[in-house]
Amino acid sequence: MNEPPKEPVKYVQSHVYLPYHYVAGDYRARYLRALKDKKILGSKCSRTGKVFVPPLLNSPESFAPATEFVEVADKGVITTFCIVNIPVIGRDLQIPYVAASVALDGAALSIFALILEVQPEAVRMGMRVEAVWKPDGERHGDHEDIMYFRPTGEPDEPMESFIRRL
Amino acid sequence: MSTPATAEPIAPMRQQLVMEFPYKHSTGETIGRFLAGLKEQKKIWGQRVAGQGVVVPPVGYSELDGSGGGEWVEVKDTGVITACAIVHHPVEKLHPCSSPFAFVLVKLDGADTALAHVVKGDLDKVKVGARVAAVWAADEARQGSIRDLECFRVTG
């Protein structure tokens, strides 16, 4: 034998494994702890009064410190959304599902949210939604304390009310 | 509710997270045959390339002028260390061994380039110039990967 085999190996399995520690800072820790009590905290810009959720130390617009915590509502409006038709590894959701940006009442910016309990085709920009929380005793102060958002059935909001809060 | 953000101190929150990417790496014709040689023949193959001698593992072309890889040449599974780095504190799943080992470049007998691999055991003897011999994985464990050569051991 003075040749390697004719039939090559076609693939090798590779595995990238990156363990790391996430350390929540002061503001983010307070925000997460509050979720345990079904409260969503934002921080208020000392110059413009805008409320950022999750709380930021400084306004990304005015750079002024946001030194005051404010509770915002656990309901709001869908500002934009997409229907996900491709399964994501590690995310155990039945497709299609809706991933949306939700501007909570009282917040100047929107957060990322999963929308369930509605047909994906029925989701609209301007639709009113509310958080569905994990039951008492099962919340641990992490993002999964809000399982998802669902429509409230209230009338839609006009685009002018959320166009600047995408 | 409206409270000053820094009213009371708060304990740090910390969470261990893991990012994992399982994927299949396509080997291509040349490396594919090199790996098939490890698995099926327990042989290490290189290619004779103009101006470079015997290249192991073969890359299928000349790094000097880009011309195609030449004749296949079998090399020995013994050789000499040309570079080494000892890993005293391996990271679980990130490194190929869970106990201290050495990353080495081995110039196999009959080869003109060095192969990157690991040495286990006798780490005090790991140094440039030390002779090593391959330890092969068992027949049923070889699956056509560089780990079919389980490791190298220092022989002198």
Side-chain angles (χ1 to χ4, degrees):
Chain A
M1 258 187 303
N2 47 15
E3 278 273 302
K6 290 276 178 245
E7 190 57 42
V9 168
K10 291 200 170 61
Y11 302 101
V12 287
Q13 299 281 349
S14 286
H15 200 91
V16 177
Y17 178 81
L18 304 167
Y20 66 100
H21 275 105
Y22 168 75
V23 178
D26 182 288
Y27 270 35
R28 187 55 65 96
R30 286 168 201 268
Y31 166 77
L32 292 171
R33 291 251 162 91
L35 292 176
K36 210 171 164 180
D37 303 323
K38 290 171 81 166
K39 286 179 181 169
I40 304 174
L41 294 187
S43 66
K44 192 174 188 176
C45 172
S46 56
R47 188 170 303 160
T48 64
K50 281 189 177 179
V51 175
F52 309 110
V53 179
L56 304 175
L57 270 106
N58 289 78
S59 161
E61 268 176 354
S62 71
F63 306 131
T67 48
E68 190 184 319
F69 276 139
V70 179
E71 188 179 342
V72 299
D74 66 351
K75 51 175 72 173
V77 56
I78 293 179
T79 60
T80 182
F81 69 96
C82 76
I83 300 176
V84 180
N85 283 294
I86 299 168
V88 177
I89 294 172
R91 190 144 202 211
D92 196 17
L93 282 174
Q94 208 181 340
I95 53 169
Y97 62 86
V98 174
S101 279
V102 170
L104 297 170
D105 297 342
L109 294 170
S110 61
I111 58 168
F112 181 76
L114 172 68
I115 311 293
L116 295 179
E117 291 191 35
V118 58
Q119 291 298 320
E121 311 82 67
V123 173
R124 307 173 293 278
M125 291 169 77
M127 189 179 226
R128 297 280 304 163
V129 289
E130 63 187 359
V132 178
W133 296 85
K134 272 191 186 165
D136 289 351
E138 290 178 30
R139 293 187 303 273
H140 304 291
D142 60 40
H143 277 120
E144 284 168 15
D145 287 351
I146 295 177
M147 295 187 292
Y148 56 88
F149 283 76
R150 68 178 169 211
T152 63
E154 297 164 276
D156 283 10
E157 284 191 28
M159 189 170 284
E160 308 80 69
S161 75
F162 61 83
I163 191 72
R164 303 191 68 80
R165 297 194 291 153
L166 294 183
Chain B
M1 189 190 79
S2 174
T3 48
T6 50
E8 63 202 277
I10 188 162
M13 280 175 103
R14 197 177 158 83
Q15 189 170 20
Q16 165 101 56
L17 297 167
V18 174
M19 235 189 263
E20 275 183 282
F21 306 104
Y23 66 97
K24 269 175 156 180
H25 172 79
S26 179
T27 49
E29 170 83 13
T30 307
I31 291 293
R33 293 184 71 189
F34 166 80
L35 295 175
L38 300 180
K39 181 186 176 186
E40 294 163 28
Q41 303 172 326
K42 251 173 117 168
K43 283 184 174 181
I44 304 171
W45 292 93
Q47 273 183 327
R48 191 180 304 284
V49 176
Q52 285 185 271
V54 176
V55 176
V56 181
V59 289
Y61 60 90
S62 161
E63 287 178 355
L64 300 177
D65 61 11
S67 60
E71 164 207 7
W72 287 90
V73 180
E74 185 192 340
V75 300
K76 293 232 161 67
D77 65 358
T78 55
V80 63
I81 293 175
T82 62
C84 55
I86 294 173
V87 179
H88 294 282
H89 302 287
V91 177
E92 196 69 30
K93 287 196 189 179
L94 200 63
H95 281 133
C97 317
S98 50
S99 45
F101 69 99
F103 274 124
V104 291
L105 289 178
V106 179
K107 194 152 86 105
L108 296 168
D109 296 330
D112 292 291
T113 62
L115 173 76
H117 218 286
V118 297
V119 167
K120 292 191 202 174
D122 291 330
L123 295 180
D124 52 322
K125 291 184 189 156
V126 171
K127 59 184 178 209
V128 172
R131 298 272 316 158
V132 290
V135 177
W136 290 85
D139 285 358
E140 64 280 6
R142 291 203 306 277
Q143 47 191 351
S145 100
I146 193 64
R147 302 303 302 277
D148 290 356
L149 282 171
E150 206 170 285
C151 66
F152 283 84
R153 289 201 193 277
V154 179
T155 56

